[in-house]
């Protein structure tokens, strides 16, 4: 009998394939030999499922693996070159497979960093009064606890205090609320028309944060 892939003759075939071709066609996992990983050249984050996150090679590889066999266990080794070990079953036959990968890193500028570099912001915290010395450290700590693609900020010193420009209105509200609760600040919110988009008015928030 002739294997329909390699064309060689064999006494027995499985699914019209010889053992060697069958092993190639019916594998434990499916993964491309060459993968492209998009990494922001500014913040170092990687793009995964259309979202930016902290760069992690293992997570990137796992997202590109498709399980084909049964009871498959996968382990990843990155040094010196990335490769995958897979152990599992195909048609109740235990298999062990090794896959070598070529990961090409492409540099991009993520949407978050584009906004940050352009000076984009949606809300401004205006810190006034007896501003605590640790207020910027406090702000940074709060930002790290918030999962939001637009959780970025920049600080500008002004004559009577500090202005903190934030990329998200919801993030600004959370930070201001924590300043009120933990640092005993008084809040006052105002709005300013920024532009019109598709017939709708787009406003920027200003939150007065006064410390006594």
């Amino acid at each position: 009998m002739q294997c329909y892939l390699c064309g060689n003759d064999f006494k027995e075939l499985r699914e019209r394939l010889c053992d060697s071709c069958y092993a190639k066609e019916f594998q434990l996992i499916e993964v491309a030999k060459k993968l492209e990983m998009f990494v922001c050249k500014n913040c170092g984050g990687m793009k995964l499922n259309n979202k930016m996150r902290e760069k992690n090679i293992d997570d990137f590889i796992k997202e590109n693996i498709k399980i084909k066999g049964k009871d498959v266990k996968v382990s990843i080794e990155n040094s010196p070159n990335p490769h995958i070990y897979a152990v599992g079953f195909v048609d109740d036959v235990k298999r062990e497979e090794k896959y070598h990968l070529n990961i090409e890193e492409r540099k991009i500028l993520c949407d978050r960093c584009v906004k940050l570099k352009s000076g984009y912001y949606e809300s401004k915290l205006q810190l006034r009064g007896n501003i605590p010395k640790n207020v910027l450290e406090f702000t940074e700590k709060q930002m790290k606890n918030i999962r939001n693609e637009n959780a970025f900020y920049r600080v500008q010193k002004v004559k009577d205090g500090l202005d903190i420009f934030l990329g998200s209105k919801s993030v600004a509200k959370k930070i201001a609320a924590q300043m009120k609760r933990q640092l005993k600040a008084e809040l006052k919110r105002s709005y300013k028309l920024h532009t019109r988009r598709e017939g709708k008015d787009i406003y920027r928030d200003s939150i007065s944060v006064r410390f006594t």
Side-chain angles (χ1 to χ4, degrees):
M1 292 182 287
Q2 190 177 65
C3 173
Y4 89 94
L5 273 184
C6 67
N8 295 322
D9 290 322
F10 297 89
K11 289 182 179 181
E12 294 182 359
L13 298 176
R14 301 173 64 188
E15 303 287 341
R16 297 174 58 202
L17 298 171
C18 66
D19 289 344
S20 178
C21 290
Y22 185 89
K24 294 177 182 178
E25 284 291 293
F26 299 93
Q27 297 181 317
L28 293 172
I29 65 173
E30 183 179 300
V31 61
K33 291 183 179 180
K34 184 178 180 179
L35 299 172
E36 286 186 338
M37 181 170 63
F38 294 94
V39 178
C40 180
K41 60 186 177 182
N42 186 59
C43 68
M46 71 175 183
K47 192 172 185 179
L48 194 63
N49 295 328
N50 293 318
K51 292 183 179 180
M52 296 302 296
R53 55 180 294 180
E54 186 177 345
K55 183 179 175 182
N56 186 300
I57 300 295
D58 285 6
D59 288 347
F60 173 76
I61 293 174
K62 288 175 183 177
E63 284 294 326
N64 285 278
I65 293 175
K66 184 177 181 181
I67 302 297
K68 305 287 285 185
K70 293 181 180 179
D71 299 326
V72 178
K73 295 182 179 179
V74 173
S75 59
I76 299 169
E77 200 167 301
N78 289 313
S79 180
N81 297 309
H83 50 269
I84 303 169
Y85 293 102
V87 178
F89 296 85
V90 175
D91 292 339
D92 297 324
V93 177
K94 188 175 183 179
R95 295 257 292 271
E96 295 183 10
E97 297 172 355
K98 184 178 180 180
Y99 301 79
H100 295 275
L101 302 176
N102 177 18
I103 299 177
E104 185 174 337
E105 190 171 299
R106 295 289 185 90
K107 295 294 185 181
I108 61 170
L109 195 61
C110 69
D111 292 342
R112 177 180 180 275
C113 288
V114 168
K115 290 178 179 179
L116 186 59
K117 283 182 172 292
S118 68
Y120 173 91
Y121 74 95
E122 291 185 1
S123 189
K124 177 171 62 173
L125 302 183
Q126 298 174 304
L127 278 54
R128 303 292 186 268
N130 188 21
I131 301 173
K133 292 181 179 180
N134 68 332
V135 71
L136 294 182
E137 182 182 342
F138 175 86
T139 302
E140 179 66 22
K141 184 178 179 180
Q142 296 300 317
M143 293 291 283
K144 288 181 179 179
N145 294 329
I146 297 174
R147 293 188 176 183
N148 186 308
E149 191 169 297
N150 289 322
F152 60 85
Y153 71 100
R154 59 184 172 88
V155 180
Q156 180 179 332
K157 289 185 178 181
V158 293
K159 185 177 180 180
D160 50 352
L162 296 172
D163 285 348
I164 301 179
F165 300 85
L166 296 110
S168 165
K169 291 181 181 180
S170 64
V171 171
K173 290 178 185 177
K174 290 178 181 178
I175 299 295
Q178 290 301 317
M179 288 182 175
K180 179 180 180 180
R181 187 172 71 86
Q182 297 187 45
L183 303 180
K184 311 303 179 184
E186 296 178 357
L187 307 181
K188 186 177 180 181
R189 190 174 174 188
S190 61
Y191 310 88
K192 184 178 180 180
L193 181 64
H194 171 56
T195 187
R196 286 181 62 84
R197 188 179 301 149
E198 298 179 356
K200 294 182 179 181
D201 291 338
I202 306 297
Y203 290 88
R204 277 178 170 167
D205 293 357
S206 290
I207 304 177
S208 173
V209 184
R210 179 162 291 277
F211 300 92
T212 56

